[in-house]
């Protein structure tokens, strides 16, 4: 979408959890595969990154990973019109559905019960040698965050981790700021604050060795992020516009209603 002066790194998306607060739907599907307007929310998230030139996606899978495998192996057939020639010499012709033809999607089986830190650690083997940085986000939230500006901000700051701070209803990781550097990070505090961790992060690959290696049984949002913040290596990119996770039936209905209206805010930068 944008004319970036830098090569966009891959995005690692955490997709392995069960999504118990959306149990009515996730008994059949993992939460990132729950549809918004007929296509899973993971597809919407990937489109948000692709709008800025991201072409490599590493999905950290666990719960019901076969649903992701089935969807992406059959992606072209699911999204294009098809002409079939039957008989002894069958032929399949796909019509359209080429917008994502250059996506590279790695489906990394990181274990059904693995915590997020362990998922990142396992999936990091799919980073290439030249991937000094990578995007990191969750498979259950959409936003119209400017991904190129986020990445540029991360590069200019020279910190190990940049996370997008947003204004939602509030019940996630609270961020305490000193300018644009994170002074303290607390996972799911009882009190509400002005900003919370909205995901849409950029990480320097040094975090793998420094904060995750040898410690696979940790949630990334607890000790690792707290340690990064304590080392003054974590900063924020403040996003004042649309952000919405899909954590319960009400939010599921909200996102589908926004899509049905034809004015879904997270499509702001899509082609």
């Amino acid at each position: 979408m944008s004319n970036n002066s830098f090569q966009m790194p891959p995005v690692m998306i955490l997709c392995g959890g069960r999504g118990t607060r959306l149990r009515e739907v996730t008994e059949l599907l993992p939460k990132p595969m729950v549809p918004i307007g007929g296509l899973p929310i993971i597809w919407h998230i990937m489109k948000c990154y692709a709008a800025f030139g991201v072409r490599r996606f590493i999905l950290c899978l666990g719960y019901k990973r076969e649903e992701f495998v089935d969807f992406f192996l059959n992606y072209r057939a699911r999204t294009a019109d098809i002409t079939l020639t039957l008989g002894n010499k069958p032929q399949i012709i796909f019509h359209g559905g080429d917008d994502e033809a250059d996506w590279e999607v790695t489906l990394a089986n990181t274990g059904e019960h693995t915590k997020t830190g362990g998922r990142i650690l396992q999936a990091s083997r799919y980073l290439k040698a030249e991937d000094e940085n990578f995007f990191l986000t969750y498979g259950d939230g959409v936003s119209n965050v400017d991904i190129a500006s986020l990445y540029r901000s991360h590069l200019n700051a020279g910190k190990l981790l940049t996370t997008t701070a947003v204004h939602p209803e509030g019940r996630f990781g609270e961020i305490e700021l000193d300018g644009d550097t994170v002074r303290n990070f607390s996972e799911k505090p009882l009190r509400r604050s002005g900003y919370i961790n909205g995901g849409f992060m950029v990480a320097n690959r040094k975090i793998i060795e420094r904060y995750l290696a040898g410690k696979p049984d940790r949630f990334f949002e607890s000790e690792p992020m707290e340690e990064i913040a304590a080392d003054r290596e974590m900063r924020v990119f403040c996003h004042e516009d649309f952000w919405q996770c899909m954590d319960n039936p009400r939010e599921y209905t909200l996102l589908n209603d926004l899509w049905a209206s034809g004015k879904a805010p997270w499509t702001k930068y899509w082609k």
Side-chain angles (χ1 to χ4, degrees), residues 152-226:
R152 189 178 297 109
S153 175
H154 173 78
L155 295 178
N156 291 340
K159 299 291 186 179
L160 294 184
L161 182 67
T162 300
T163 187
T164 299
V166 298
H167 297 287
E169 298 174 32
R171 39 171 212 289
F172 301 89
E174 178 183 317
I175 296 170
E176 183 180 343
L177 301 180
D178 180 6
D180 65 359
T181 299
V182 176
R183 176 187 301 149
N184 182 58
F185 183 91
S186 302
E187 171 66 358
K188 297 182 180 179
L190 294 178
R191 65 182 180 86
R192 291 180 58 176
S193 183
Y195 286 105
I196 61 97
N197 174 23
F200 292 91
M201 296 173 272
V202 191
N204 186 290
R205 69 182 301 152
K206 290 178 182 177
I207 70 164
I208 305 297
E209 183 63 32
R210 192 174 300 183
Y211 299 100
L212 299 177
K215 303 172 183 177
D217 193 33
R218 301 205 300 179
F219 288 106
F220 182 65
E221 303 78 10
S222 55
E223 291 98 333
M225 287 186 76
E226 291 168 359

Side-chain angles (χ1 to χ4, degrees), residues 11-212:
V11 56
M12 190 181 295
I13 308 179
L14 295 163
C15 302
R18 286 180 170 268
T20 54
R21 287 188 291 270
L22 198 61
R23 187 174 291 110
E24 294 88 340
V25 182
T26 57
E27 287 294 333
L28 300 175
L29 292 170
K31 187 159 63 165
M33 290 300 296
V34 172
I36 299 175
L39 284 164
I41 189 172
I42 185 69
W43 176 85
H44 292 262
I45 296 167
M46 294 164 77
K47 289 283 284 187
C48 291
Y49 279 93
F52 291 91
V54 176
R55 290 296 178 265
R56 292 167 51 213
F57 303 88
I58 303 169
L59 309 190
C60 304
L61 307 183
Y63 177 64
K64 291 187 179 292
R65 63 177 290 270
E66 65 278 2
E67 297 293 338
F68 296 89
V69 173
D70 174 71
F71 178 79
F72 285 102
L73 282 180
N74 296 287
Y75 182 79
R76 189 77 191 279
R78 289 174 177 271
T79 57
D81 292 340
I82 305 171
T83 296
L84 302 175
T85 301
L86 306 179
N88 293 330
K89 297 181 179 180
Q91 184 180 13
I92 302 176
I93 300 174
F94 296 100
H95 307 280
D98 296 325
D99 290 347
E100 295 80 42
D102 59 348
W103 287 11
E104 177 187 293
V105 183
T106 299
L107 305 175
N109 182 11
T110 57
E112 184 167 345
H113 303 291
T114 309
K115 295 177 181 177
T116 50
R119 295 192 191 282
I120 297 168
L121 180 61
Q122 288 189 45
S124 66
R125 66 184 180 270
Y126 296 109
L127 296 173
K128 297 180 179 179
E130 63 269 24
D131 293 330
E132 182 179 354
N133 297 283
F134 61 96
F135 292 108
L136 175 66
T137 195
Y138 302 98
D140 63 354
V142 288
S143 177
N144 60 2
V145 61
D146 185 328
I147 297 297
S149 294
L150 165 65
Y151 187 48
R152 189 178 297 109
S153 175
H154 173 78
L155 295 178
N156 291 340
K159 299 291 186 179
L160 294 184
L161 182 67
T162 300
T163 187
T164 299
V166 298
H167 297 287
E169 298 174 32
R171 39 171 212 289
F172 301 89
E174 178 183 317
I175 296 170
E176 183 180 343
L177 301 180
D178 180 6
D180 65 359
T181 299
V182 176
R183 176 187 301 149
N184 182 58
F185 183 91
S186 302
E187 171 66 358
K188 297 182 180 179
L190 294 178
R191 65 182 180 86
R192 291 180 58 176
S193 183
Y195 286 105
I196 61 97
N197 174 23
F200 292 91
M201 296 173 272
V202 191
N204 186 290
R205 69 182 301 152
K206 290 178 182 177
I207 70 164
I208 305 297
E209 183 63 32
R210 192 174 300 183
Y211 299 100
L212 299 177

